[in-house]
């Protein structure tokens, strides 16, 4: 049983395209997150949703739009992809808001050409 | 969150004990110390959390001195599969605005 799953695992696309990454958690957690990890392994939070409501929206271009159809799912849609968007994107969840104990998905490796 | 400082990398050999120290001089009263482990091509995984003194689980031990301004993650008898990046985080378990930011972590390389 995968606790936090993401699809796709790899995503290679051209500049200017629009793509989506899906995330699902079966832990019954209320809060879900999207993180971006750069090539130096720094992992920064992008968004957080609690019970389908946005609670964190860091300084992220508005080309990135999260969507939470229910508290078990948090998808990330990216418009007009740029070279700098190439990174690994991790979804995570936690039992309560702001918890320091979070459960991460396997990551989606995005390469923009 | 309190700022943390940890070594960039450490090398070790199979069977040795690895100790990674994290400095967090401005830790607040309500802050907990949490360590994550990230294997190549995987997401970070929670391994241990503590508030003071010593915490031990099946994976690691966490030593926290009385002033709590640092903490040491101890990995006993490491194997090749313990090669990973280890992140130290400090924060209140339920505080509003607790935005987790992972630094560069400590890259541990276990050699045969």
């Amino acid at each position: 049983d995968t606790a936090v799953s993401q699809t796709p695992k790899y995503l290679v696309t051209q500049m200017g395209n629009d793509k989506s990454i899906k995330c699902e958690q079966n832990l019954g957690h209320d809060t879900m997150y999207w993180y971006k990890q750069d090539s130096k392994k720094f992992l920064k939070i992008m968004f957080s949703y609690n019970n389908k409501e946005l609670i964190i929206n860091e300084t992220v271009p508005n080309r990135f739009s999260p969507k939470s159809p229910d508290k078990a799912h948090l998808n990330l849609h990216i418009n007009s992809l740029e070279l700098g968007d190439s990174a690994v994107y991790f979804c995570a969840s936690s039992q309560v808001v702001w918890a320091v104990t979070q459960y991460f998905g396997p990551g989606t490796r995005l390469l923009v050409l | 969150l309190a700022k943390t400082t940890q070594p960039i990398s450490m090398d070790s050999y199979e069977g040795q004990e690895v100790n990674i120290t994290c400095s967090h001089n401005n830790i607040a009263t309500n802050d907990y110390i949490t360590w994550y482990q990230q294997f190549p091509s995987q997401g970070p995984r929670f391994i241990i959390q503590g508030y003071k003194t010593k915490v031990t689980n099946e994976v690691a031990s966490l030593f926290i001195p009385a002033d709590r301004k640092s903490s040491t993650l101890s990995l006993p008898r490491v194997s090749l599969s313990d090669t990973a990046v280890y992140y130290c985080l400090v924060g209140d378990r339920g505080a509003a605005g607790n935005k987790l930011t992972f630094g560069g972590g400590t890259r541990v390389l276990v050699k045969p």
Side-chain angles (χ1 to χ4, degrees):
Chain A
D1 274 348
T2 302
V4 182
S5 59
Q6 295 178 229
T7 53
K9 190 170 183 178
Y10 299 97
L11 189 52
V12 181
T13 188
Q14 300 287 331
M15 279 176 56
N17 285 349
D18 302 338
K19 291 292 179 184
S20 292
I21 307 172
K22 295 185 177 182
C23 178
E24 176 180 1
Q25 55 96 3
N26 63 5
L27 297 167
H29 288 167
D30 285 343
T31 310
M32 295 184 72
Y33 311 82
W34 275 111
Y35 286 85
K36 178 180 180 181
Q37 186 170 46
D38 62 23
S39 57
K40 294 184 179 180
K41 298 295 185 183
F42 284 87
L43 197 65
K44 289 193 67 177
I45 192 165
M46 301 172 67
F47 301 101
S48 178
Y49 270 72
N50 183 55
N51 275 323
K52 302 194 296 177
E53 288 190 25
L54 180 66
I55 54 172
I56 296 175
N57 185 358
E58 290 296 291
T59 306
V60 175
N62 57 15
R63 299 182 293 105
F64 291 79
S65 53
K67 285 187 173 53
S68 182
D70 54 63
K71 74 173 191 178
H73 296 84
L74 180 61
N75 304 323
L76 183 65
H77 187 75
I78 316 170
N79 289 326
S80 303
L81 279 155
E82 300 178 358
L83 295 177
D85 297 332
S86 296
V88 182
Y89 293 84
F90 288 100
C91 176
S93 72
S94 63
Q95 194 165 16
V96 296
V97 178
W98 313 116
V100 292
T101 307
Q102 299 185 8
Y103 296 82
F104 284 78
T108 296
R109 284 144 190 84
L110 171 65
L111 178 61
V112 182
L113 302 175
Chain B
L1 294 179
K3 179 173 165 49
T4 61
T5 303
Q6 53 184 121
I8 294 173
S9 64
M10 297 180 75
D11 287 358
S12 184
Y13 291 91
E14 282 189 292
Q16 289 188 336
E17 179 181 82
V18 171
N19 296 306
I20 308 170
T21 297
C22 179
S23 297
H24 28 80
N25 290 323
N26 58 341
I27 188 169
T29 303
N30 294 332
D31 286 346
Y32 281 73
I33 300 155
T34 309
W35 285 81
Y36 281 79
Q37 173 190 56
Q38 185 177 22
F39 295 118
S41 302
Q42 293 187 27
R45 180 176 75 113
F46 168 85
I47 51 173
I48 200 165
Q49 184 180 77
Y51 184 80
K52 61 180 179 180
T53 62
K54 177 184 174 182
V55 179
T56 297
N57 62 23
E58 65 278 4
V59 176
S61 293
L62 180 59
F63 298 91
I64 306 167
D67 66 5
R68 304 200 326 123
K69 293 187 176 183
S70 67
S71 59
T72 299
L73 175 72
S74 181
L75 307 172
R77 297 180 299 283
V78 293
S79 62
L80 297 178
S81 63
D82 291 315
T83 292
V85 178
Y86 294 82
Y87 297 93
C88 168
L89 284 82
V90 172
D92 189 321
R93 285 196 295 190
N98 199 11
K99 303 171 189 176
L100 290 192
T101 300
F102 291 69
T106 298
R107 296 170 186 259
V108 172
L109 174 62
V110 180
K111 303 175 183 177

